Each structure stands twice: as C-alpha cells, then as structure tokens.
Amino acid sequence: MATVIAVSGRAEVRIEPELGAVSLTVGSSGGDREPLLHDVAEAHERLLEDVRELEASGVLDTWSAGQLRVWSHRPWNAEGRQLPLVHQANADVEVVFSDLSALGGWLGRVTGAPHLTLGGIEWRLTDATRDRVLEEAQRAAVADAVRKAAVYAEALGLGAPVAIELADSGMLTTPQPMPRPHQAVMMRAMALDGAPEPEIAPAKLVIEASVDARFHAE
C-alpha cells in the first residue's frame, strides 16, 4: 500500500528594485479661500513643471497628477463650540523613477517647498521582471516540496515519492477555503544586511511563493 506524504514548499527570491514611486501631496488649509487656492494652485503647477523636466531628462518611468480638490468644513473645539469655516485644498501626485540615482537629489530639492508633503516611496519592479521572478519563486517552492517529500520517504524506507496533488498554499485543505489575496504569492520590501536603510535608500524586494503538495511513496 502506498503511503501519502503531505508537505508544503516555500521559496523566496530577493531582488533590487527597479522603480521608485514617490507619492506627494500639494495642499494647505486656512480661513481665506481665495488666497489659499492661489497659493496651492501655484505650488501644484511648480511641482508639475519640475516633474515635466524630469520626464524630459529620461529619469522617469511614468507620473500622474490628480486634480486640485477643494472643500470646506466648520471644525469643533474641545468645548463643543463650532469654529469658523476652514477651507482645504490639495492634489496628489505620483512620480515613478526608473533612474533611482536621481530620486534622492530630486526629493532634496522639492520636499522643502511650501505646501508640499511627501507621502512615501514605494519600491517596485517592472511587470516583466516581476513575472520572471515570480515564476522563479514558484518553481523553487515546488522544488522545496519535492525535496521535503523525498526526505520523508527516505526516512520511512520508501521509494521515490510521486506527486499526486499540487496547489497554492491553503488550497488542499477540506473543505477548500476561499483563497485570501496574496496568500500563495507575496511581494514585500525589506532592508537587508544590517540596520534599516534611510528612507530614500532602495530596500530589496522579496518575492515569496508557497505551495501544498501530496505524494505517494511505496
């Protein structure tokens, strides 16, 4: 009679990011609507002019800019009294650098500008690289499952195991659960080799894959 061996296989691939996506917000708030709109609109246009120059220099992958949003509200103080009307205006801008060496210098120039807030930097891969590295991680996860099954079979004095089922992690349980987003494959950024890097230093990306498998061995 064949023995069933159930194992999970996991693997990760670490890779330097290719793109740096910078999220910025141009905005402010105040009691005088027209001066506020004027200042924020000027700051927004100055930023976009700078971004267009970056695009012309060839250091960007892409960029996008949202429209200027304006709204008003009346806040309340700690005593429950409604305060005078406050106007707010802001717009979001994302700038994706393909030349990461140009990213830090540009941030140093623009982040001190009035009405400009840095939301953060997201390190990314191009679609082609992400697909390639993901496939590499998936193949390595399967190889890990095969290796584990072989170890168990040898420890039991059995022959070479033969795969009978293979699925993304969590899909072989009974009853089958609905897969959670990114359950089988994940991509995360992490700083390696010591202390965390400064905010604008690229962190390595880790592409992870995991599988569940069942084998027969006699």
Side-chain angles (χ1 to χ4, degrees):
M1 176 181 291
T3 299
V4 176
I5 300 174
V7 297
S8 61
R10 294 181 176 82
E12 64 178 37
V13 178
R14 300 178 181 185
I15 185 171
E16 296 287 349
E18 297 173 299
L19 305 173
V22 182
S23 299
L24 301 152
T25 299
V26 183
S28 187
S29 62
D32 296 326
R33 187 176 188 275
E34 294 309 317
L36 170 71
L37 290 179
H38 178 269
D39 291 346
V40 173
E42 278 197 343
H44 188 233
E45 185 54 36
R46 283 195 302 269
L47 176 61
L48 295 188
E49 288 177 0
D50 201 334
V51 171
R52 294 185 189 105
E53 291 180 4
L54 287 174
E55 183 180 35
S57 71
V59 301
L60 298 186
D61 178 68
T62 186
W63 65 276
S64 61
Q67 292 185 336
L68 189 65
R69 303 186 303 274
V70 184
W71 69 97
S72 303
H73 70 284
R74 292 178 64 91
W76 300 81
N77 64 13
E79 289 76 32
R81 180 183 301 173
Q82 198 167 26
L83 301 177
L85 196 66
V86 174
H87 306 283
Q88 292 185 289
N90 67 39
D92 296 326
V93 177
E94 183 182 71
V95 185
V96 184
F97 282 78
S98 56
D99 183 352
L100 300 185
S101 64
L103 193 157
W106 181 74
L107 281 182
R109 294 200 316 271
V110 302
T111 50
H115 311 304
L116 188 63
T117 302
L118 173 64
I121 304 172
E122 180 185 359
W123 306 111
R124 299 175 181 173
L125 299 172
T126 62
D127 290 343
T129 299
R130 184 175 59 250
D131 291 344
R132 174 180 60 80
V133 176
L134 175 56
E135 181 177 333
E136 181 182 344
Q138 290 170 326
R139 290 180 182 275
V142 173
D144 183 52
V146 171
R147 181 190 60 79
K148 288 178 179 177
V151 171
Y152 293 147
E154 182 181 1
L156 292 171
L158 304 174
V162 177
I164 57 173
E165 288 186 288
L166 178 70
D168 286 340
S169 180
M171 295 294 291
L172 292 185
T173 56
T174 304
Q176 290 190 354
M178 291 297 291
R180 293 182 305 220
H182 309 296
Q183 182 180 28
V185 178
M186 296 179 288
M187 183 172 74
R188 55 190 171 90
M190 63 184 296
L192 301 172
D193 302 326
E197 297 288 341
E199 184 181 12
I200 62 170
K204 281 193 175 181
L205 297 174
V206 179
I207 308 296
E208 296 179 328
S210 59
V211 296
D212 292 338
R214 290 194 179 102
F215 295 80
H216 274 177
E218 297 185 358

